[in-house]
Amino acid sequence: MSRLYNFCAGPAALPTEVLERAQREMLDWGGLGLSVMEMSHRSDEFQSIAKAAEADLRELLQVPDDYRVLFIQGGATAQFSAVPLNLMELGGEADYLDTGLWSGKAIDEARRFGKVNVVASGKSLAYSSIASQDNWQISERASYFHYTPNETIGGLELFDIPSCSQAPLIADMSSTILSRPVDVSRFGLIYAGAQKNIGPAGLTLVIVREDLLGKAQAGVPRTMNYQLIADHESMLNTPPTYSWYLAGLVFQWLKHQGGLGVMAERNQRKAEKLYAAIDRCGLYGSCVDLSYRSSMNVPFTLKNKALDDPFLSGARERGLLNLKGHRSVGGMRASIYNAVSEAAVDALVSYMNEFDKQYG
Ligand SMILES: *Cc1c(COP(=O)(O)O)cnc(C)c1O
């Protein structure tokens, strides 16, 4: 058995050390004679796993005390509805920044519950860039301001936290959370599906400032009501216990690496190497404006589409997996989340150089 280099956008690579530990604990966790998957979520043992995961996450992200951390199901997509249902009055209004496919999906869903004011859209630029925030059309009636700091598909990342709105700032951090330190206190609510940079699919993290709880619309399903979920310590119903446990192992792994400062440096080095290869070789191109190039998801094209298939099959032969770009963008995409090592990026870069020499 060998583990190859996996550049999948999601569900994405997990640290090998984490999977090895899960393997060791698979059949018998802590000498209890059963798997974490077979434990009651209300047992003392699972409670200790759950509490430790939350404590480690709080430490990694320096989550302030007046924020609650929720471990729930439904993916980031369920949050596209949960956010308006919890934070917008019936028929109310909210600001949304449109930077690509995922913000578009959040906008479409929010429109089902109230008025969406799109403060700016990158659509006419094929989502390669976005107007600077002085040009955003903020609504004074907005209950919140929603944006997607990293567009997983388009590869556009906003490195500065918007400061143009007085309304609570809501961020879909699915593909950027834990990639570097972030000032949580600037946000009203952060959410993220786990399967990019946290753990396996099935778990969604919500980090919400306490004063935003208790504002849900009357008809909100109980499983989507932040206040109820928080009151029940994320155990209103059965939580995704195994994903929660694995996320906890990832948090421990991140602490062991030296925390998010260390991850940020490593991630920056990885991204710089990859973009340098794209820019150096005549064969490759990147569509995203330089100042918005994502450090997690790197889409690139080959100058000649006929080379896509040879590039991908050559990559597979070298153990470089899942480099095919999203169907809406085409070309290639390398997702280089925390669990993708520098060695993986180095292997990809040397393959790109080699391929460029042969075909460029
Ligand atoms: C993957 C992704 C989603 C969708 O996540 P699901 O868990 O599949 O619902 C939403 N937003 C962003 C930014 C993503 O990367």
Side-chain angles (χ1 to χ4, degrees), residues 202-274:
L203 170 73
T204 312
L205 273 189
V206 174
I207 303 172
V208 55
R209 208 173 59 218
E210 261 163 5
D211 66 292
L212 294 175
L213 298 174
K215 296 176 185 290
Q217 293 177 15
V220 178
R222 295 167 63 79
T223 52
M224 280 196 175
N225 184 317
Y226 295 143
Q227 172 85 68
L228 269 182
I229 299 166
D231 288 348
H232 289 83
E233 310 279 337
S234 303
M235 300 206 188
L236 175 71
N237 65 327
T238 314
T241 51
Y242 199 72
S243 298
W244 192 333
Y245 153 76
L246 265 177
L249 296 187
V250 171
F251 301 152
Q252 285 182 31
W253 178 82
L254 286 170
K255 282 173 62 177
H256 195 70
Q257 303 301 299
L260 300 192
V262 170
M263 295 316 295
E265 284 169 27
R266 198 182 289 172
N267 287 328
Q268 196 180 337
R269 271 199 307 275
K270 281 153 52 185
E272 278 169 4
K273 282 181 188 174
L274 201 43

Side-chain angles (χ1 to χ4, degrees), residues 74-78 80 102 148 150 152 172 174-175 193 195-196:
T77 303
F80 294 165
W102 287 117
T148 311
N150 184 61
T152 319
D172 173 1
S174 293
S175 52
Q195 69 274 21
K196 278 62 181 259

Side-chain angles (χ1 to χ4, degrees), residues 16 49 52 64 78 98 111 175 184 217 239-242 273 278 286 306 339:
T16 300
I49 290 171
D98 178 23
R111 282 205 171 112
S175 52
V184 174
Q217 293 177 15
T241 51
Y242 199 72
K273 282 181 188 174
I278 292 168
S286 155

